[in-house]
Amino acid sequence: MPIDWPALSARCDHAGIPLRGGFHPGDDDGVPPAGDLPAGTLVLLGNAGPSMWRAFSRAREDAPDLALDDWTLAVVSALAAELGAAALFPFTGPPYWPFQRWAQRAEAVYPSPLGILIHPRFGLWHGYRAALAFPERLSLPPRDDLPSPCASCADRPCLRACPVSAFSPGNYDVAACVGHLDAQAGAACMTGGCLSRRACPVGQEHIYPEEQRRFHMRAFRCAHSAR
């Protein structure tokens, strides 16, 4: 039976990892086969606003030390087995799949001055956690190609908000950012989330809850301080 897009979206929502869009891969998209067959459709999964965090938080009630990557692996691998798809992740490489490029093929997202992708509705409060490669060429909904909100933003508050000016056009000073987070002066970023990200006016109604922002900041600091 062909996979129905609304039913697939509802199934992903129920699993706690929403559907973020999809596309029919071409030879230049770098999408691996879906099992023994070429991938006919690639579907991206992730978060937009706080919905995925709520599902992950419920899972951590019984396993407080559960890692987000481990939860994602378990949830999406089960979905892939159920749906007859191949599961792909941005954090299990090598190989490291081009999720940023895939995201721009799947829906209207654009590079922002902070380097991360901005969504016209969700702003900077979204992300991509996995993909499902189907051998079938699924019927996709029409793509809503809204323009980048950054194109009409003259003030660029995101660039001005960083206390250590870690962001500039085309550059992100990771060392300056991590050094700030390691100091007492970085407490506001650590507890409330990146000040530059929070300064973007787009998608403020979808901002992550404070607990989720702290979680991601701790993970970022841990990953980069250990290098």
Side-chain angles (χ1 to χ4, degrees):
M1 180 180 295
I3 297 172
D4 175 76
W5 188 265
L8 175 61
S9 180
R11 181 65 190 88
C12 292
D13 284 343
H14 181 74
I17 188 158
L19 193 62
R20 291 298 313 274
F23 64 96
H24 300 129
D27 293 338
D28 297 332
D29 288 315
V31 177
D36 296 329
L37 298 172
T41 309
L42 190 75
V43 171
L44 270 68
L45 310 176
N47 61 294
S51 59
M52 189 193 74
W53 178 256
R54 289 194 289 265
F56 175 55
S57 296
R58 287 193 296 271
R60 295 183 90 199
E61 291 175 0
D62 297 324
D65 296 327
L66 179 64
L68 179 57
D69 287 353
D70 292 341
W71 176 81
T72 303
L73 277 166
V75 169
V76 178
S77 296
L79 274 175
E82 174 188 336
L83 298 170
L88 304 169
F89 304 92
F91 49 78
T92 56
Y96 293 102
W97 307 113
F99 266 76
Q100 297 276 301
R101 179 153 55 90
W102 289 350
Q104 292 176 81
R105 291 274 281 118
E107 60 177 334
V109 288
Y110 306 90
S112 73
L114 303 187
I116 57 179
L117 296 176
I118 190 166
H119 187 279
R121 184 156 60 94
F122 297 109
L124 301 174
W125 305 106
H126 70 104
Y128 301 91
R129 297 294 304 164
L132 295 173
F134 290 88
E136 303 91 348
R137 189 176 174 88
L138 305 183
S139 178
L140 301 176
R143 175 174 164 134
D144 189 0
D145 275 320
L146 295 171
S148 170
C150 298
S152 58
C153 179
D155 292 339
R156 300 292 170 103
C158 59
L159 294 179
R160 300 197 313 270
C162 179
V164 291
S165 301
F167 300 101
S168 58
N171 183 61
Y172 171 36
D173 190 339
V174 180
C177 176
V178 174
H180 177 67
L181 297 179
D182 286 339
Q184 185 175 357
C189 289
M190 284 299 301
T191 59
C194 170
L195 295 181
S196 286
R197 193 175 188 179
R198 287 161 56 192
C200 177
V202 183
Q204 285 290 316
E205 65 273 30
H206 301 290
I207 191 170
Y208 298 160
E210 188 171 311
E211 181 186 8
Q212 183 179 1
R213 284 176 269 149
R214 286 198 305 268
F215 176 89
H216 288 306
M217 291 304 295
R218 287 195 298 266
F220 172 82
R221 179 184 177 186
C222 181
H224 289 275
S225 294
R227 293 183 178 180

